[in-house]
């Protein structure tokens, strides 16, 4: 099989460290286990060095570029996280456009392309990931790349009228003509993106490839984690109370204030649950250099204090809150003993935590997933209790429903979703995308 070249902003460590990881990392690790692979991206480090650092293990080679501190600030914190991320999550009001940042973004994409070109072989297949690298394929073509190029968008694509708010959106959309196949998570994203491109005369094919997980593997990790020392300690700390659990990066797309308000509404409107549940929300700080993230953190710290102040008893803390990272294995153990998972993003490309929760459940006594209808995962997980994450009252009602749901119904809802995840398989996503890319008509020039 020809070599696969993956390009993404961040690249996971060569050997799995077990530490916290983003969704892209998790999804791709399953994808590429048995193939010769070059993975190209940002090292995560800042320096003035212009050469990629190479390292290999088994059939995988990494080529990692440092960014300068200015590039990091303008390209990553600025244009990617301050402009594109809110825009793509339908939050234009939070977006800040600065032309210098957009220019730095294009310049970093050019630097990626220039460093990648000499590493390429004629028969490579190139697979570019996510919004950080929208213009990369066009620059690679300009520099002569004739290989097949695929692109996957992990986050949502908003309606064209929302996207049009981005200055020079047209140039970005025209760059997508250089790609042979674009993959997105849902039908809705595909419709929006195809329509936006059509308005610019671009007809790159768009396919729907929902990112999956290794459900059976995750189930094994979760089961083992419960019996470990920290798993036992945590379970004992619950004193037999039912666990409501949420885990997200601390991000305004995840609907955390509405979720906490929903839990407070549960305690207010359904007082029978007081003292019988504990809600643990894990939300490691991310993108702390962007001001909206710092503001959100302050808002949440305050809400947690207020909710605990209002409802706590001397021997019961209703809400446990941590912004520290948690090991993936520990997380899996928490998910397994969770009675109700709260996954309520205001918008999410897919949301792998929802799928991991389903995978982690004990078949004889599964918990209930409360899932935002605006997460990509909602299109697949039919057994979940769906909510509009903007409405704390609806979240409170869903919590009451989930906490009182009879075992037979919990089992039936869980079974259909678990079977579906297993059927999709750990590498179904990447295999389907790469097979379609292989069949796609070539956009390569000359
Ligand atoms: P992310 O925004 O990173 O990914 P998500 O899909 O939830 O979000 O994946 C997060 C992954 O990291 C999961 O495997 C989860 O277990 C882990 N994780 C989340 N919070 C964690 C924490 N606090 N500590 C440790 N691990 C944590 C992007 C898109 C998503 C899309 C993925 C994959 O934003 O919508 O699902 O890519 O395409």
């Amino acid at each position: 099989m020809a070599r696969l070249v993956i390009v993404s902003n961040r690249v996971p460590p060569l050997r799995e460290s077990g530490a916290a990881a983003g969704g892209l990392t998790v999804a791709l690790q399953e994808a590429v286990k048995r193939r010769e692979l070059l993975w190209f991206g940002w090292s995560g480090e800042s320096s003035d060095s212009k050469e990629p650092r190479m390292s290999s293990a088994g059939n995988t080679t990494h080529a990692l570029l440092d960014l300068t501190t200015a590039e990091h600030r303008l390209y990553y914190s600025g244009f990617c996280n301050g402009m594109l991320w809110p825009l793509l999550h339908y939050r234009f009001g939070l977006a800040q456009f600065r032309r210098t940042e957009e220019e730095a973004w294009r310049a970093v994409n050019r630097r990626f392309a220039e460093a990648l070109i000499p590493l390429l072989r004629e028969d490579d297949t190139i697979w570019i990931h996510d919004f950080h690298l929208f213009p990369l394929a066009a620059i690679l073509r300009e520099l002569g790349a004739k290989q097949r190029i695929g692109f996957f968008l992990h986050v949502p694509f908003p309606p064209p009228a929302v996207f049009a708010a981005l200055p020079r959106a047209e140039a970005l959309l025209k760059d997508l003509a250089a790609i042979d196949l674009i993959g997105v998570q849902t039908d809705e994203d595909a419709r929006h993106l195809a329509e936006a491109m059509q308005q610019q005369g671009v007809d790159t094919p768009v396919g729907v490839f929902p990112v999956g997980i290794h459900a059976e593997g995750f189930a094994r990790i979760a089961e083992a984690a419960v019996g470990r020392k920290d798993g036992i300690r945590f379970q004992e700390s619950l004193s037999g109370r039912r666990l409501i659990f949420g885990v997200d990066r601390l991000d305004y797309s995840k609907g955390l204030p509405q979720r906490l308000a929903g839990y407070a509404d549960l305690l207010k409107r359904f007082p029978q649950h007081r003292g019988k549940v504990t809600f643990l929300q894990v939300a490691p700080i991310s993108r702390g250099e962007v001001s909206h993230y710092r503001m959100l953190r302050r808002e949440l710290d305050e809400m947690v204090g207020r909710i605990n102040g209002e409802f706590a008893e001397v021997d019961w803390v209703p809400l446990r809150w941590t912004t520290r990272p948690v090991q993936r294995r520990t997380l899996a153990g928490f998910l397994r003993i969770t009675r109700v998972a709260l996954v309520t993003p205001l918008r999410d490309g897919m949301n792998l935590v929802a799928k991991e929760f389903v995978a982690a459940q004990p078949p004889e006594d599964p918990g209930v997933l409360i899932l935002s209808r605006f997460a990509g995962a909602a299109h697949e997980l039919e057994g979940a209790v769906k909510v509009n994450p903007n409405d704390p009252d609806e979240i409170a009602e869903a919590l009451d429903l989930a906490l009182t749901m009879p075992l037979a119904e919990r089992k039936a809802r869980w079974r259909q979703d678990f079977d579906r995840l297993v059927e999709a398989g750990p590498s179904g996503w990447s295999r389907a995308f790469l097979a379609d890319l292989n069949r796609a008509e070539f956009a390569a020039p000359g």
Side-chain angles (χ1 to χ4, degrees):
M1 215 188 302
R3 184 174 69 162
L4 179 64
V5 177
I6 290 181
V7 192
S8 58
N9 176 58
R10 293 305 305 273
V11 180
L14 261 180
R15 278 176 205 78
E16 244 216 85
S17 67
L24 172 56
T25 308
V26 172
L28 281 177
Q29 260 161 4
E30 293 302 332
V32 295
K33 273 188 177 149
R34 277 177 293 276
R35 190 163 176 181
E36 190 188 358
L37 176 72
L38 171 66
W39 199 326
F40 185 99
W42 173 37
S43 63
E45 313 271 322
S46 298
S47 86
D48 291 326
S49 151
K50 298 281 174 234
E51 291 297 310
R53 257 176 290 139
M54 312 293 292
S55 54
S56 301
N59 53 5
T60 300
T61 299
H62 278 187
L64 304 182
L65 265 189
D66 291 352
L67 296 180
T68 66
T69 4
E71 281 170 341
H72 179 261
R73 181 165 41 84
L74 299 168
Y75 148 81
Y76 185 64
S77 305
F79 196 67
C80 289
N81 290 339
M83 176 71 222
L84 288 178
W85 178 268
L87 175 73
L88 294 166
H89 287 85
Y90 298 57
R91 300 291 291 279
F92 189 70
L94 297 179
Q96 231 171 13
F97 180 82
R98 290 192 188 90
R99 196 176 278 190
T100 47
E101 293 177 349
E102 190 220 3
E103 283 163 1
W105 175 67
R106 289 199 169 269
V108 167
N109 270 269
R110 182 162 293 274
R111 208 144 85 63
F112 267 46
E114 284 167 355
L116 179 58
I117 285 278
L119 305 176
L120 290 178
R121 297 177 195 157
E122 221 170 90
D123 64 343
D124 280 341
T125 296
I126 303 173
W127 192 6
I128 300 170
H129 289 265
D130 237 0
F131 59 97
H132 314 86
L133 303 175
F134 272 134
L136 183 65
I139 305 173
L140 285 170
R141 293 276 185 245
E142 186 193 314
L143 299 177
K146 299 213 164 40
Q147 291 83 352
R148 245 165 230 281
I149 304 183
F151 180 92
F152 192 82
L153 184 65
H154 289 259
V155 299
F157 196 89
V162 174
F163 192 73
L166 173 71
R168 290 197 276 229
E170 305 78 18
L172 188 159
L173 291 164
K174 284 192 176 135
D175 281 344
L176 303 182
I179 299 166
D180 297 301
L181 173 67
I182 300 179
V184 294
Q185 307 267 25
T186 69
D187 291 333
E188 193 179 40
D189 300 325
R191 251 192 341 268
H192 291 160
L193 177 57
E195 206 183 301
M197 288 194 302
Q198 266 157 25
Q199 290 172 0
Q200 303 307 320
V202 174
D203 62 356
T204 304
V206 182
V208 178
F209 306 88
V211 171
I213 62 162
H214 187 348
E216 285 157 312
F218 196 82
R220 281 194 293 275
I221 298 172
E223 194 177 354
V226 173
R228 295 170 54 84
K229 228 201 269 154
D230 50 353
I232 295 171
R233 215 181 68 209
F234 175 62
Q235 200 156 10
E236 281 174 354
S237 81
L238 295 173
S239 310
R241 294 184 174 106
R242 285 170 175 173
L243 178 63
I244 300 170
F245 182 50
V247 53
D248 312 76
R249 278 183 309 101
L250 207 165
D251 193 298
Y252 50 76
S253 67
K254 302 292 184 183
L256 290 166
Q258 294 84 343
R259 188 184 307 175
L260 298 194
Y263 180 60
D265 280 355
L266 172 84
L267 301 177
K268 209 174 291 161
R269 290 177 48 203
F270 304 92
Q272 62 274 25
H273 297 297
R274 288 187 198 171
K276 303 213 174 65
V277 294
T278 296
F279 175 17
L280 169 65
Q281 174 65 52
V282 176
I285 292 165
S286 80
R287 306 178 188 173
E289 69 282 2
V290 182
S291 68
H292 286 298
Y293 287 77
R294 291 197 299 274
M295 273 150 53
L296 174 68
R297 185 184 171 195
R298 269 202 299 277
E299 178 187 357
L300 290 167
D301 282 344
E302 201 185 297
M303 279 186 87
V304 172
R306 224 180 315 122
I307 293 169
N308 278 335
E310 189 174 344
F311 295 102
E313 304 285 344
V314 289
D315 59 351
W316 173 59
V317 180
L319 177 51
R320 298 187 193 178
W321 164 247
T322 173
T323 54
R324 295 209 307 259
V326 176
Q327 293 263 322
R328 193 167 162 69
R329 192 176 53 195
T330 310
L331 211 70
F334 290 176
L335 285 169
R336 187 167 179 93
I337 62 169
T338 292
R339 171 49 67 86
V340 183
L342 274 176
V343 182
T344 57
L346 304 181
R347 273 296 152 184
D348 217 329
M350 175 52 61
N351 196 298
L352 296 178
V353 173
K355 293 186 170 180
E356 289 165 353
F357 168 73
V358 171
Q361 290 313 291
E364 67 290 351
D365 187 20
V368 181
L369 173 62
I370 296 181
L371 181 58
S372 163
R373 69 167 71 137
F374 304 126
H379 299 259
E380 291 176 89
L381 300 176
E382 287 167 6
V385 175
K386 307 280 165 51
V387 293
N388 183 329
N390 297 296
D391 182 0
D393 275 304
E394 198 176 322
I395 294 175
E397 285 150 17
L399 276 168
D400 177 58
L401 177 80
L403 288 165
T404 54
M405 191 178 283
L407 178 62
E409 185 178 347
R410 283 192 274 130
K411 275 185 174 168
R413 283 171 177 265
W414 169 78
R415 175 50 70 185
Q416 89 185 81
D417 287 346
F418 183 75
D419 289 350
R420 186 166 179 162
L421 290 181
V422 171
E423 200 183 313
S427 50
W429 166 69
S430 58
R431 250 191 287 119
F433 180 86
L434 291 169
D436 278 13
L437 175 59
N438 210 28
R439 279 192 294 266
E441 225 174 282
F442 240 159

